[in-house]
Every structure is written in C-alpha cells, then in structure tokens.
C-alpha cells in the first residue's frame, strides 16, 4: 500500500520471532510518544516486556506490523505495530494498542494497521476492541473516532474507546466521540471567569442572604433575635446561592 507521503509499505502479521522488529519500533518512538503509548515513562523494553509483547499466537494475541519498502520494493524500516490481546480465554473482546514511530505519524500508517487488525480479530472471533487512551493523545483519539469507536470517560485524564466489529455504528454513536472530546476540553481547559461575572455572583449571593434574613425576621416577629444556626434550614448551597 502507499502512504500519504507517496512511500510504500507492507503490512504483515507478526509472530514470536519478531522481537527485533518490536525493539526497532520502540526505538523509533520519542519519549513523548512512549508516554502516550504506555501511559507513563518507559525508557526501554526489558526482557519481561519483550516476553509479553512477543507472545503472539494468532488467536488470543494478534499483531500486525507495518514496514517501509525501498525503491526496489525491499523491506527497509519498521513503521509501527497494532496488536490485540483477548481480555480472557474465549472472550469476544480484546485490548487494542497501536504504536507508530514518530517519523511515520500522520501518514495513514495507524489507520491501515488498525483496519487490517480488525479483519484478523473478526476472523479469530473477537467482536469488540477496546483501549484506554490518555486525553492528551490526540492522534489515537482521532484514529479511534474515524473507525467509529465509542468513547467513555474513565475519570482523570483517561478515555476508554470501544469499537464494535460487527457492523457500522449508528450516526448517534458515531457522533458520540465529539461530545466526549468536548467534555474533556471543558474539563482540561475551563473558560476563565471574568471579573464582572464574579461580581454579579457575589451581589446575587448577598441579595439572597439579605432576603432570607428578612423573611426569617418577619416570621420570628418584631423584637425577636434569631438563634445561631437558624439560617441553616434555608434551601441554599454551601456557597449560599439558591440553586437554580
């Protein structure tokens, strides 16, 4: 297949003997890309990491690799990996992970990898792909959204996406990711409150407190003194502003 920059690449299934391929892909990731891929600092792959990533059996653990081809059509550089690990033996869902080296990002490699992986996963009896993505990982969010994955906010800075392999999603589901991203943007970058808005809230709170005092005094009768805590029964929030 051809990438967006015109270069050609080959997609093929990976196996336990592709440890060097996996190491080369990891070496092509910048520290920032590694943090997004592994959700934390990852300076190197140790033997335990390699044992897990290379335990590819074609049924419970699937992996597809992308390789750049030179002018003669010969493999010359690993570009990325997409993998799916079944959540449990016999389960119809799998955990998804995609990594593309920095120099090949935003060229269609991730989309191609994920589409081929989805075909192999469906053939292996996996109907759902899910993955957890950091909110800062705009590339993976966009990739999941293009394929119709359904987002869910897990709390903190993590989104969980689920992609159903059985068919096309409805328009409402396809548009759900936009609402989820909008909620994240509001959470991560709240709009600054202007001085005028704060002043209006303070004045409204004072007016509400004054009105409650007047009502309480009128009920107590002329000359009465309000007991401490008499205002606590008023329907207010902790800040003193009447809800609504």
């Amino acid at each position: 297949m051809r990438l967006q920059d015109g270069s050609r690449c080959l997609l093929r299934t990976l196996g336990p003997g592709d440890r060097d391929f996996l190491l080369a892909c990891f070496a092509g990731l910048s520290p920032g890309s590694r943090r997004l891929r592994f959700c934390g600092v990852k300076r190197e792959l140790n033997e335990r990491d390699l044992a897990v990533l290379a335990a590819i059996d074609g049924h419970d653990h699937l992996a597809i690799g992308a390789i750049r081809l030179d002018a003669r059509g010969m493999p010359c550089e690993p570009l990325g990996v997409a993998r799916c690990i079944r959540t449990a033996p016999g389960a119809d869902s799998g955990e998804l992970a995609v990594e593309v080296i920095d120099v090949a990002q935003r060229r269609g490699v991730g989309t191609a990898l994920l589409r081929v992986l989805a075909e192999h996963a469906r053939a292996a009896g996996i109907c759902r792909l899910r993955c957890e993505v950091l909110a800062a990982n705009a590339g993976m969010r966009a990739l999941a959204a293009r394929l119709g994955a359904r987002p869910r906010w897990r709390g903190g800075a993590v989104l969980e996406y689920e992609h159903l392999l059985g068919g096309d999603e409805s328009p409402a589901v396809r548009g759900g990711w936009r609402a989820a991203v909008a909620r994240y943007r509001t959470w991560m970058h709240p709009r600054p409150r202007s001085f005028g808005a704060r002043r209006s809230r303070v004045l409204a709170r004072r007016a509400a407190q004054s009105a409650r005092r007047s009502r309480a005094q009128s009920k107590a009768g002329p000359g009465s003194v309000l007991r401490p805590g008499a205002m606590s029964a008023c329907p207010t929030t902790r800040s003193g502003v009447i809800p609504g």
Side-chain angles (χ1 to χ4, degrees):
M1 63 165 289
R2 287 194 177 273
L3 302 179
Q4 295 176 4
D5 61 357
S7 61
R8 294 186 301 165
C9 81
L10 170 70
L11 302 181
R12 69 171 179 86
T13 57
L14 300 181
D18 287 305
R19 293 165 67 97
D20 290 340
F21 185 98
L22 301 176
L23 287 171
C25 286
F26 182 83
L29 299 175
S30 65
S33 295
R34 293 175 186 177
R35 182 182 66 83
L36 295 177
R37 163 63 179 88
F38 296 97
C39 297
V41 178
K42 194 74 172 175
R43 294 186 176 87
E44 63 180 9
L45 293 179
N46 55 37
E47 283 300 319
R48 182 178 180 182
D49 296 329
L50 276 175
V52 172
L53 296 177
I56 305 166
D57 58 12
H59 180 72
D60 291 331
H61 187 166
L62 313 173
I64 306 296
I67 310 166
R68 188 192 304 277
L69 302 178
D70 61 17
R72 299 176 300 170
M74 300 298 293
C76 62
E77 180 187 19
L79 298 179
V81 180
R83 70 177 66 249
C84 169
I85 301 177
R86 206 181 293 265
T87 55
D92 65 351
S93 61
E95 295 285 345
L96 169 70
V98 181
E99 61 185 66
V100 177
I101 65 174
D102 282 53
V103 297
Q105 291 177 7
R106 291 178 292 277
R107 297 182 182 177
V109 177
T111 301
L113 281 171
L114 195 47
R115 285 175 177 168
V116 174
L117 178 67
E119 294 176 1
H120 283 73
R122 189 183 296 111
I126 296 176
C127 303
R128 292 178 294 146
L129 296 178
R130 61 173 302 276
C131 64
E132 293 185 355
V133 180
L134 291 178
N137 195 344
M140 188 61 189
R141 292 204 325 258
L143 175 61
R146 281 199 299 272
L147 296 178
R150 303 170 57 180
R152 182 171 58 184
W153 188 6
R154 289 294 303 273
V158 178
L159 274 170
E160 181 183 72
Y161 283 91
E162 182 176 78
H163 178 48
L164 302 180
L165 300 178
D168 295 334
E169 300 286 358
S170 66
V173 171
R174 287 199 300 269
W177 70 272
R178 296 184 179 91
V181 171
R183 288 196 298 271
Y184 267 93
R185 287 175 177 170
T186 301
W187 174 72
M188 295 180 66
H189 305 287
R191 294 182 177 180
R193 296 178 177 178
S194 64
F195 174 77
R198 289 198 302 270
R199 186 171 183 273
S200 297
R201 285 192 295 273
V202 171
L203 293 178
R205 184 166 63 248
R206 290 178 179 175
Q209 291 173 345
S210 177
R212 289 199 300 275
R213 286 197 207 84
S214 298
R215 289 197 298 268
Q217 186 65 50
S218 63
K219 291 181 180 180
S224 300
V225 178
L226 290 178
R227 302 186 308 278
M231 301 298 294
S232 61
C234 296
T236 63
T237 62
R238 185 172 299 180
S239 61
V241 181
I242 296 177

